[in-house]
Amino acid sequence: MAEILRLRKENQRLQHQNFALVERNEELAEKLQGLSNVKNTYGIAGLKQEDLQPSSSNLGNNVPTLDQQFKSSTSAMPLNPPTAAYPTNWALAQSPVNWSDLSNERNLGFNKLPTSYRKSSFQVLPAPTVLVQSRSIPILVGGVLFGAFVWESYSLYQAFTAPEVAPQDFDFSHRFNATARAFDDDVEFTEWFGGITKLRKGLAQRAHGNVLEAAVGTGRNSKFYDMKSGRIKSLTALDQSKEMIDVARAKWEESHPKDEQCRFLTSSALESLPSVSDVNDKPESGGYDTIISTMSLCSIPGPSIFLRNLASHLSHEEMGVSRASQPVQESNKNPPSRILLLEHGRSYYAWVNRFLDRSASLHARQHGCWWNRDIGKIASDSGLEIVNMERKHLGTTWVLELGLPKEAQGESRQHWLESNRAKMVQEQRQVEAIQHQQKEQMKEQEETQSREAALAEWRKEEREKLRRTGS
């Protein structure tokens, strides 16, 4: 009798464990219902929705009963004498038990189960398929974000602790020769993500007539020019970097058919610009109808001189007057000549400008451009009329449309050209004086660094001699 009571207690313990598993199975079934994504028809791993409901409707005769499951589990146990590992299983397998005496709901604890589970037989749902993501992915992403945060924090620290510099500092544009091949890869994602690529496209599609792109760089606007509609009569691309021009020419040949020609020239836009020519390099009279320049004012040593020089090569035909070589139709009337600019510079906000000023020198040495220049002031100082201006990205991105002033039209044009040329010469002398002074300063810095390096090397040698003497 004592053995039977002990077996009853052991059986009751096992039943409670089984009930806990049943409750866990019900919880998993509810989770699977929430994860179902096939219009409540099929759940994860092909389970039907009605299979997820633990009710008597899905309990068939072929499902093993509780007694059969328990006997099967105990019969699979090793039939060895009682040990520390198997003190009870051996006894259950050797001692017959009257299973009908163990069916009392109070003794077995059936009152703790849901009503749908109070049956003599029930179905055990298969183990759900759980989509477990690897922990390495969030760890990797978190590491990358943390590293980017540390790097940006260090950059901000350098920027705010560096001394302020003037926006018209030393010319670092020569470094573009070394970065021409990798330039597109460096800026491709950031320009696309920041919407600069879209702004480039909108600017290039406004070009018409004889077009000049000054400081073309690697030709990042070339794929956006509409050469098939006839709006563009000729296209000339200009840059002082031969390596940049080579990359731009290769990109043009790759993205445009042979009948769409573009003239590529290696020359500085601060000097005399090439005259207008057709696709056969035949010179034509008049100036350019559209002059485009993108992301160039930041790297040119004399930005206002650059704009004055571009303005002196603009066509001065009045709006609505057709060329003699074109049919006089309403659709062919010429829009006014324009200089279209896409630049980056100072912001609306003082705290942004403070950051740009303090980090300008470091940024110029790394990327060859001064990103703290006041683009609006440069455009005003050039003497051109600001027809339209848009600013984005806290005001640091500038989109400008410049036109010739009224005094540059008609009979007063020649006088304006002479005055403009005189101002260009004066500004050029000022820029050259600043550059000469900066070169002298850099030369002194290099000599100081050389002396300090030589002194450090001498001290190192002296310490080495003392160490050898002491040993």
Side-chain angles (χ1 to χ4, degrees):
M1 188 64 185
E3 182 68 17
I4 293 177
L5 292 176
R6 186 181 64 80
L7 292 178
R8 284 181 176 179
K9 290 181 180 180
E10 182 64 23
N11 185 57
Q12 186 174 2
R13 185 181 66 81
L14 295 174
Q15 289 291 343
H16 278 295
Q17 292 180 356
N18 200 6
F19 300 154
L21 293 175
V22 170
E23 292 177 353
R24 176 60 176 166
N25 198 7
E26 184 181 21
E27 294 176 0
L28 293 176
E30 293 176 355
K31 291 182 179 180
L32 288 173
Q33 286 179 340
L35 294 174
S36 178
N37 57 359
V38 193
K39 296 183 180 180
N40 295 328
T41 303
Y42 291 95
I44 293 179
L47 293 179
K48 292 185 177 181
Q49 192 71 17
E50 58 267 17
D51 292 339
L52 303 179
Q53 300 293 339
S55 61
S56 60
S57 61
N58 56 7
L59 304 178
N61 296 327
N62 296 328
V63 179
T65 63
L66 176 63
D67 299 345
Q68 294 172 349
Q69 294 181 31
F70 188 80
K71 290 179 180 179
S72 176
S73 62
T74 55
S75 63
M77 298 296 179
L79 301 179
N80 296 325
T83 61
Y86 309 105
T88 305
N89 294 337
W90 182 83
L92 289 175
Q94 297 297 324
S95 302
V97 180
N98 188 358
W99 297 96
S100 61
D101 293 341
L102 304 178
S103 60
N104 186 278
E105 289 188 4
R106 183 180 303 275
N107 294 332
L108 295 179
F110 268 68
N111 57 331
K112 296 182 179 181
L113 285 175
T115 305
S116 59
Y117 282 104
R118 296 180 185 178
K119 302 293 179 181
S120 60
S121 61
F122 59 90
Q123 180 181 9
V124 180
L125 293 178
T129 302
V130 183
L131 302 178
V132 181
Q133 295 183 350
S134 175
R135 292 184 178 181
S136 60
I137 296 178
I139 292 175
L140 178 61
V141 173
V144 171
L145 293 177
F146 179 75
F149 172 76
V150 172
W151 175 257
E152 289 298 328
S153 300
Y154 177 71
S155 301
L156 288 172
Y157 170 77
Q158 281 188 321
F160 281 100
T161 56
E164 295 188 12
V165 294
Q168 300 282 345
D169 250 21
F170 191 74
D171 179 18
F172 290 100
S173 60
H174 59 277
R175 76 180 312 277
F176 289 116
N177 291 329
T179 61
R181 300 296 174 181
F183 184 81
D184 287 334
D185 294 334
D186 292 341
V187 302
E188 182 70 33
F189 175 76
T190 54
E191 287 200 353
W192 170 83
F193 185 77
I196 301 298
T197 302
K198 184 177 180 181
L199 295 176
R200 287 181 180 273
K201 182 178 180 180
L203 208 68
Q205 290 182 346
R206 292 166 59 185
H208 69 278
N210 294 311
V211 180
L212 169 67
E213 183 171 353
V216 66
T218 59
R220 296 190 59 78
N221 304 322
S222 60
K223 60 183 177 181
F224 301 129
Y225 285 111
D226 184 11
M227 305 295 292
K228 296 181 180 180
S229 65
R231 281 177 50 85
I232 297 179
K233 186 177 181 181
S234 69
L235 179 59
T236 302
L238 186 73
D239 199 280
Q240 66 176 356
S241 171
K242 183 180 182 302
E243 287 74 10
M244 288 279 189
I245 282 291
D246 291 341
V247 175
R249 183 184 291 108
K251 290 169 66 175
W252 178 271
E253 294 174 353
E254 181 180 353
S255 60
H256 292 269
K258 293 183 178 180
D259 58 338
E260 297 179 3
Q261 298 294 324
C262 177
R263 184 174 54 158
F264 291 91
L265 301 175
T266 303
S267 178
S268 173
L270 295 174
E271 302 171 356
S272 179
L273 299 180
S275 59
V276 176
S277 299
D278 59 14
V279 294
N280 298 318
D281 287 340
K282 182 180 179 181
E284 294 186 356
S285 60
Y288 292 98
D289 301 297
T290 307
I291 298 180
I292 291 181
S293 186
T294 57
M295 303 300 174
S296 58
L297 295 182
C298 59
S299 58
I300 294 176
S304 59
I305 303 174
F306 171 75
L307 292 181
R308 288 183 183 277
N309 195 29
L310 297 184
S312 63
H313 291 79
L314 269 181
S315 172
H316 58 280
E317 294 186 12
E318 296 181 358
M319 181 177 179
V321 179
S322 300
R323 297 183 184 275
S325 59
Q326 296 177 348
V328 181
Q329 298 178 2
E330 186 70 21
S331 60
N332 286 338
K333 289 183 177 180
N334 292 327
S337 301
R338 290 287 185 258
I339 297 177
L340 306 178
L341 302 176
L342 172 61
E343 302 293 339
H344 66 105
R346 300 187 73 79
S347 169
Y348 295 124
Y349 305 101
W351 64 272
V352 178
N353 293 332
R354 186 164 57 252
F355 167 75
L356 294 177
D357 289 339
R358 293 186 179 275
S359 59
S361 180
L362 178 64
H363 183 81
R365 294 178 185 275
Q366 292 178 348
H367 303 285
C369 70
W370 297 92
W371 64 358
N372 63 333
R373 287 180 172 172
D374 191 340
I375 305 300
K377 184 176 185 303
I378 292 173
S380 300
D381 293 344
S382 67
L384 293 170
E385 178 186 358
I386 301 178
V387 179
N388 188 27
M389 180 175 63
E390 299 178 11
R391 299 178 69 177
K392 302 178 182 296
H393 306 136
L394 301 178
T396 59
T397 301
W398 301 64
V399 183
L400 295 97
E401 179 181 353
L402 307 180
L404 292 174
K406 294 181 179 180
E407 55 267 23
Q409 301 289 343
E411 298 179 356
S412 60
R413 175 175 173 79
Q414 188 62 33
H415 175 73
W416 179 84
L417 288 174
E418 294 176 358
S419 175
N420 186 56
R421 191 176 297 108
K423 291 179 181 179
M424 286 175 56
V425 172
Q426 182 181 1
E427 292 176 359
Q428 183 65 33
R429 290 175 180 173
Q430 294 176 356
V431 171
E432 290 176 354
I434 294 174
Q435 289 182 344
H436 177 73
Q437 182 181 1
Q438 292 169 347
K439 287 181 180 180
E440 292 296 327
Q441 292 177 355
M442 291 189 67
K443 185 178 179 179
E444 292 178 1
Q445 292 177 359
E446 291 176 356
E447 292 177 353
T448 303
Q449 292 175 358
S450 178
R451 288 194 299 268
E452 291 177 352
L455 181 60
E457 185 66 23
W458 177 80
R459 289 176 177 174
K460 181 179 180 182
E461 292 177 356
E462 290 298 320
R463 285 194 300 267
E464 185 68 19
K465 289 178 181 180
L466 292 174
R467 187 183 65 82
R468 291 177 180 177
T469 304
S471 61

